[in-house]
Amino acid sequence: MSALLPVADGRTTWAAARRLLRPHRGRLALVAGLLLLAAAAGLAVPALLGVLVQTATTGGSLAVVGACVAGIVAAALAAAALGALGQTQMARVTESALAALREDVVDRVLHLPAGQVEAAGEGDVVARVSGDVETVGEAATGVLPAVTAALFSVVVALAGLGALDWRFAVGALAALPLQLWSLHRFRRRTPPVYAEARRAEGDRAQAVLQAVHGAPTVLALRDADAHLDAVAATSRTAIAAEMRGATLVGRFANGANLAEALGLGGVLVAGYLLVASDTAGVGAATAAALVFHRLFGPMGVLLFQADDLALAGAGLARLVGVAEGSPARPAPPGRGTGVPAITLRDAAFAYRPDLPVLDGVTLDVAPGERVALVGTSGAGKSTLARLVAGTLQPTAGRVDVGDVPAHAVHRTRPGRVVLVDQDVHTFTGPLAADLRLAAPDADDATLAAALDAVGATWWADLPGGLAEPLGPEGTTLRADQAQQLALARVLLADPPVVLLDEATADLPRSQQAALDTALDALLAGRTAVVVAHRLDQAVRCDRVVVLESGRVVEQGAPADLLAADGPFRTLWSAWRGAGGGDEGVTPPTSPRRSAAPLR
Amino acid sequence: MSETRHDASGYRAEAIRSKGYLAWVMSSPAAPPEPPSPGRMLLRTLTAPGQRLPVALGTLGLCGHQVAEMLVPVVIGAAVDDAVVGRDPRALVGWLGVLAALFVALTLCWRGGLIGTTRAYLRAEHTLRQQVVARVLDDRGGPGRPPGATLSLATSDAVRVAGTTWLLAGQVAAVAAVTTAAVSLLTISVPLAAALAVAMPLAVLVMHRLAAPLERRSDREQAQAADAAALATDLVGGMRVLQGLGASTAGADRYRRTSRALLAARVGAARARAWYLAGSEAASGVLVGAVALAAGWMTLRGSLTVGQLVTVVGLVQTVQTPLTQTGQLMVGLAQKRASAARLHDALAAPRVLPAAVAAAPTGATTLTARVGDDLVLRVARGEVVGLHADTPGAGDLVDVLGARTAADPGAVLLDDVCASTLGPALRTAVHAPPRDAHLFAGPLAEVVAPAGSVDADLLRAAVLDDVVTLLPEGTGSAVAAGGSNLSGGQQDRVRLARALHRDEPFLVLHEPAAAVDSVTEVALAAGLRARPDKGVLVVTDSPALLAACDRVVRR
């Protein structure tokens, strides 16, 4: 939780935004031109109304009135069409830039080092790729066009007022000080209130989420009232914060409205003075009043929605922080050459210097060899597997796959070393799409064959077969089915090195025989390291390595270790002695190649 | 011996007490009240006690604001006529004073409207959310919907139904605005007002027709955006899998395809929106032109003053927004009704369990249960019985014992009380948490013993003591929601420790050691005897755990 992912500072964010928009420079100029013309055409409406008033007061002809009206209609139509063209072009630019950014962010995030994601917490990462992307996206589609159009309207209208007579513009600017002061006060007071509201809403969402996801457990614990009260309490806090926010918005609106009154009063006073001194006609005074009245809408948009843009800016900074702050995307996977060996030389790893997880491990796994890692929880088995996978880097010593450091293999040749652990995530969407993450070009027959090979024959019974959607809107796989799916992915990815970290823990014992066959199919011809709690799996490997407190304490062929009176023998007795009475597994005299263990 | 007697007398006491319980069940409204119909649900957001005052304040406030907005062009016109055209400084001061008063009223009304409506809205949302959560946590079983669907009920649907408060206040205010504009126009020129009364609703009708496909389009666009966000979340959730597989790039490519589809949808929707807006502006421009032509002609003839012309044009421009809103009532209501119907269906979903008609004998000494069709198992207090997980019906039995599904008559007995008469009260005698039971966020001590204090012996029995010593703050260390900061084996041990801390006389454990290593499993097996006062049933396929049981029942 301590080391959140980077957030870009203002300058970096601007630079990134400019870089994203650079390919669209031509189109942006076009957008600016179109919106400027649209605002100018829009201004022609009140100006012509002024001319009409002037004509009417000075007793002009109906023909002039008709011409003015024709001009008004033409100007309104032109303003509408130009505005639509400008907005469409702008959407093209902003949406393209946004799509490029979000794709970049997801790409970078998916390639982030595992350690960094764990340190940041998955919540932060998810917030970036979903919440922030949506906030920025909504701002780009909803707020940005409105604010841009409003900005053009206000600027052009002020220029127009000035063109009528500079004193109209001065009158209108009477609104500005109060507007700026209100905005400033609002900006200063809202962040803590909004932050508190967001925090309270987050707490409430979390309380609701836990109650809903954990409902069966809540009932089993007979704790429903406490959970309901917790949701209610967080909700009351959130409501209080939201009401404080509404009060601030109300005060801000008060300031903004009174500023409008001041500006309108200023324009009317200017009109009176100019008409009274015969400097301007009634038509000009009327036009000025109408121009200013038309500005109420755009000014409101600018004042109120600028805040949404600021919020989106914060989201943008968080997105840019990920996109800019991470290492470049690795080269596309190349096919390895042959089946490599794994070499560890005095490899050590520690999250904290005083608590080594692995402490000087030296180990050689020959090409095509299958090695079992056993030991109690916390012995360092999973850490060793992740060092070989390259998702962690050793703090001392070397871990090589072939002749290359494992983390370099992971970065430059993803897919050459495949690690499957207890994390049995299935990806929402069609079953085939999940499998194609491992083999993008595989046809349906290949996918089906891979599922069959790992014993996942249940796929044929799904209502949609390979097209069956997985997840809440289709089939939710059981844990053991999800593990089979994970094994099928490995078969499809076809890596020369496979690391299985408790990848079969959820499969019921009754499926053991089928599983052994599946594992033989999966691991044949690959260099493999298998972390196993179930020792009957370990004895099917070529070699067993016993880890204890981060060190290798014993290794050798399973039969030899069983014959010797060492740590493995102790583990085996504990495991088998407990289960042996009921359905023990007799160790095979020769591993793997012998018949299936007796039951 | 003495224990048996104690239990027997305890049972008698329970039986006597159960009569009182039965009477209470009969007399009290045992069946939870029927949830209101969708229509009534919408109405209640406005009329429930505590809602009326804020709703009234909010509606009145927004009405006042809209009326004042409509009067602004009227005051501008009057000021132009009296002060500018008439060159009268006293009139100028007078009208400026009126303008100031009008704006003060306008802005205070808006503030009151905002506060009142927001309060009513937030309260309604709160009530609905609590109802959904209470329904999910109903002791006779939730509405039987997947968590995602329930969450969307508690959030989006509750928000939409509560939004009735905004819809009402906004609609009434829009009607008030249109009425004000109509009255103002009538006082200036009856023929002009009559013509506008025909033309403007027509224009609004056309705009609504044009807007309908636009709304569908924007719904689709939002759905696509939600899909893209869901995909990104899903990919991040499976990041370890993707990285382990070297498939991060394939995952990113999958997201890129979804993102490109979203891009196309967004650009298309933006274009549609822009041209709809342009149509609306063009219609408005034509209307302003027509009004200007008529009013200009009338001004030339002298039947309209310059100020009145300004007022008419200003009104036509201002009234379009509220006029467009008035047509949205039916669409808004239909949307809210759909949400209310979804909420109603969930709240009215039939309960899984019958209501209790007897009290659970919390002093019971034996638990008898039928497994599948032909096996009967019996667990007495003080013994640990194993049930092999492969036995047909074993998983179903755990759900029946946990009162997650209804018990068939005669399938489960506590002494001689049939569980089918107990409904949710079965949980007071048997603690049978679901496999992979949820771990709630909080300090470890609170997770393990929510009500009482942590018993060090029970931590040791669950082999949790070595985990605790490794944690930075011992039993005070935070457990994240779902136990996501613990390994699978640690989660199992926390669950077991929590179950061992319970007070119910019978404990049912379903695969309590699925993710722990074999050495820990053996230590944990011994810990199953940590509560000799309880009858413990272990449903597992683990040889180590089964070996530790007094008896093993299997097919």
Side-chain angles (χ1 to χ4, degrees), chain A residues 57 102-103 110 112 209 217 222 235 254 257 278 286 329 377 418-419 421 425 428 509 571 575 578-579, chain B residues 87 107 111 126 129 151 234 240 243-244 249 254 259-260 306 310 438 440 481 504 517-519 541 543 547:
Chain A
T57 47
R102 66 176 172 246
E103 288 158 20
L110 292 181
L112 279 179
L209 201 71
T217 307
R222 292 190 278 133
S235 180
N254 286 170
N257 284 145
D278 286 325
T286 316
R329 178 181 170 161
S377 293
V418 161
L419 166 71
D421 61 16
H425 188 88
T428 307
R509 231 163 266 256
L571 283 172
W575 182 77
Chain B
R87 302 185 179 197
T107 198
R111 187 158 154 188
H126 171 86
R129 192 187 307 104
L151 281 177
D234 189 38
R240 279 167 59 124
Q243 293 203 341
T249 305
R254 186 165 160 189
S259 164
R260 290 287 129 178
V306 172
V310 171
H438 193 80
F440 298 97
E504 294 84 356
D517 64 87
S518 51
V519 174
D541 68 355

Side-chain angles (χ1 to χ4, degrees), chain A residues 93 146 165 174 248 336 352 372 448:
Chain A
V93 174
D165 191 300
L248 288 180
R352 273 168 46 187

Side-chain angles (χ1 to χ4, degrees), chain A residues 531-598:
Chain A
V531 177
H533 288 155
R534 306 249 147 113
L535 297 187
D536 50 344
Q537 267 176 29
V539 298
R540 291 176 61 82
C541 293
D542 299 316
R543 187 152 51 108
V544 172
V545 172
V546 185
L547 277 183
E548 214 169 81
S549 307
R551 291 167 205 258
V552 175
V553 292
E554 191 185 25
Q555 57 175 312
D560 297 344
L561 295 192
L562 282 170
D565 190 15
F568 184 68
R569 177 80 207 176
T570 314
L571 283 172
W572 176 263
S573 308
W575 182 77
R576 210 205 135 198
D582 196 51
E583 49 163 347
V585 180
T586 313
T589 42
S590 129
R592 186 143 60 114
R593 290 163 198 97
S594 70
L598 300 170

Side-chain angles (χ1 to χ4, degrees), chain A residues 4 7 75 120 131 179 183 215 225 260 289 291 309 313 318 337 346 351 369 401 403-404 448 472 482 500 537 588:
Chain A
L4 288 179
V7 176
Q179 277 173 335
L183 188 62
D225 288 345
E260 285 170 358
V291 165
L309 274 192
R318 285 156 56 82
T337 46
D346 295 320
Y351 289 101
E369 194 186 14
V401 172
D403 300 326
V404 185
L500 299 181
Q537 267 176 29

Side-chain angles (χ1 to χ4, degrees), chain A residues 109-170:
Chain A
V109 159
L110 292 181
H111 287 95
L112 279 179
Q116 196 178 348
V117 174
E118 264 156 40
E122 200 187 284
D124 186 33
V125 183
V126 168
R128 306 267 175 135
V129 299
S130 61
D132 289 334
V133 164
E134 277 193 279
T135 310
V136 176
E138 275 163 23
T141 40
V143 184
L144 190 62
V147 169
T148 317
L151 190 67
F152 275 98
S153 299
V154 170
V155 170
V156 171
L158 277 178
L161 281 180
L164 279 174
D165 191 300
W166 62 271
R167 280 157 283 200
F168 285 126
V170 170

Side-chain angles (χ1 to χ4, degrees), chain A residues 49 52-53 56-57 60-62 65 69 76-77 80 84-85 87-88 91-92 95-96 98-99 102-103 106-107 109-112 114 117-118 122 125-126 129-130 134 137 141 204 206 208-215 217-222 224 227-228 231-232 235 239 242-243 246-247 250-251 253-254 257 260-261 264-265 269 272 275-276 278 282 285-286 289 293-294 296 329 376-377 410 414-415 417-419 421 423 425-428 433 437-438 489 508-510 533 571 574-575 578-579 582-583, chain B residues 72-73 76 79 83-85 87-89 92 96 99 103 106-107 110-111 114-115 118-119 122 126 129-130 133-134 136-139 147 150-151 229 232-256 259-260 262-263 266-267 270-271 273-275 278 281-282 285 289 292-293 296-297 299-300 306 309-310 313 317-318 388 390 427-428 431 433-435 437-441 481 498 502 504 515-519 522 541-544 546-547 554:
Chain A
L49 278 170
L52 190 147
V53 166
T57 47
S61 71
L62 194 59
V65 172
V69 167
L77 293 180
L85 282 175
Q87 296 290 0
T88 308
R92 271 179 199 283
E95 294 296 339
S96 304
L98 190 67
R102 66 176 172 246
E103 288 158 20
V106 168
D107 192 321
V109 159
L110 292 181
H111 287 95
L112 279 179
V117 174
E118 264 156 40
E122 200 187 284
V125 183
V126 168
V129 299
S130 61
E134 277 193 279
T141 40
R204 178 173 67 192
Q206 182 71 22
V208 172
L209 201 71
Q210 287 214 65
V212 170
H213 277 294
T217 307
V218 172
L219 293 182
L221 296 172
R222 292 190 278 133
H227 280 268
L228 201 54
V231 174
S235 180
I239 288 176
E242 283 169 83
M243 285 311 297
T247 309
R251 276 193 210 152
N254 286 170
N257 284 145
E260 285 170 358
L264 187 56
V269 169
Y272 165 79
V275 171
D278 286 325
V282 175
T286 316
H293 185 231
R294 270 169 74 102
F296 283 10
R329 178 181 170 161
T376 53
S377 293
H410 175 65
V417 180
V418 161
L419 166 71
D421 61 16
D423 188 349
H425 188 88
T426 53
F427 293 92
T428 307
L437 286 170
R489 285 192 211 113
R509 231 163 266 256
S510 53
H533 288 155
L571 283 172
W575 182 77
D582 196 51
E583 49 163 347
Chain B
V72 170
I76 295 177
V84 179
V85 178
R87 302 185 179 197
D88 179 353
L92 180 69
L96 286 180
L99 197 67
F103 266 91
L106 176 151
T107 198
W110 193 77
R111 187 158 154 188
L114 174 75
I115 298 291
T118 306
R119 183 175 295 281
L122 289 174
H126 171 86
R129 192 187 307 104
Q130 289 300 112
V133 175
V136 169
L137 299 182
D138 188 302
D139 65 354
T150 312
L151 281 177
T233 308
D234 189 38
L235 289 173
V236 168
M239 235 173 105
R240 279 167 59 124
V241 173
L242 287 177
Q243 293 203 341
L245 211 53
S248 299
T249 305
D253 288 343
R254 186 165 160 189
Y255 179 76
R256 185 164 289 114
S259 164
R260 290 287 129 178
L262 175 60
L263 167 64
R266 279 234 171 114
V267 169
R271 186 192 300 120
R273 216 167 14 236
W275 282 106
E281 279 171 18
L293 186 63
W297 179 62
T299 314
L300 273 185
V306 172
L309 188 147
V310 171
V313 171
Q317 281 181 2
T318 318
H388 198 285
D390 283 351
R427 296 190 196 109
T428 59
H431 180 61
R435 190 186 170 174
H438 193 80
L439 295 178
F440 298 97
R498 179 170 68 183
R502 301 290 301 179
E504 294 84 356
V516 301
D517 64 87
S518 51
V519 174
V522 171
D541 68 355
S542 152
L546 290 173
R554 62 178 305 172

Side-chain angles (χ1 to χ4, degrees), chain A residues 304-515:
Chain A
F304 279 88
Q305 301 203 340
D307 221 44
D308 295 341
L309 274 192
L311 214 64
L316 190 64
R318 285 156 56 82
L319 291 183
V320 170
V322 174
E324 304 276 308
S326 324
R329 178 181 170 161
R335 284 262 70 97
T337 46
V339 177
I342 300 170
T343 322
L344 283 85
R345 287 284 170 271
D346 295 320
F349 184 83
Y351 289 101
R352 273 168 46 187
D354 51 325
L355 282 177
V357 183
L358 282 182
D359 195 4
V361 172
T362 295
L363 183 66
D364 289 289
V365 182
E369 194 186 14
R370 195 199 294 187
V371 166
L373 274 185
V374 301
T376 53
S377 293
K381 305 185 297 285
S382 297
T383 305
L384 197 154
R386 290 172 69 182
L387 286 178
V388 177
T391 52
L392 289 180
Q393 277 193 46
T395 41
R398 290 183 64 88
V399 178
D400 291 351
V401 172
D403 300 326
V404 185
H407 64 266
V409 174
H410 175 65
R411 269 224 324 282
T412 59
R413 290 279 194 67
R416 199 162 150 71
V417 180
V418 161
L419 166 71
V420 182
D421 61 16
Q422 286 153 306
D423 188 349
V424 286
H425 188 88
T426 53
F427 293 92
T428 307
L431 172 60
D434 180 304
L435 290 167
R436 285 208 174 94
L437 286 170
D441 305 323
D443 58 16
D444 281 0
T446 314
L447 302 183
L451 285 170
D452 290 339
V454 297
T457 46
W458 41 260
W459 73 266
D461 299 328
L462 296 175
L466 284 174
E468 173 72 4
L470 302 181
E473 285 175 18
T475 300
T476 305
L477 296 185
R478 291 193 315 268
D480 57 312
Q481 292 175 324
Q483 285 197 329
Q484 286 175 325
L485 183 59
L487 297 182
R489 285 192 211 113
V490 176
L491 211 52
L492 288 165
D494 193 22
V497 181
V498 178
L499 312 167
L500 299 181
D501 183 4
E502 286 301 325
T504 55
D506 270 320
L507 289 171
R509 231 163 266 256
S510 53
Q511 292 182 22
Q512 205 98 74
L515 174 69

Side-chain angles (χ1 to χ4, degrees), chain B residues 6-26:
Chain B
H6 171 263
D7 277 341
S9 62
Y11 175 64
R12 212 170 302 124
E14 278 301 325
I16 294 163
R17 230 176 289 147
S18 79
K19 276 184 197 145
Y21 180 73
L22 202 63
W24 178 79
V25 165
M26 294 307 184

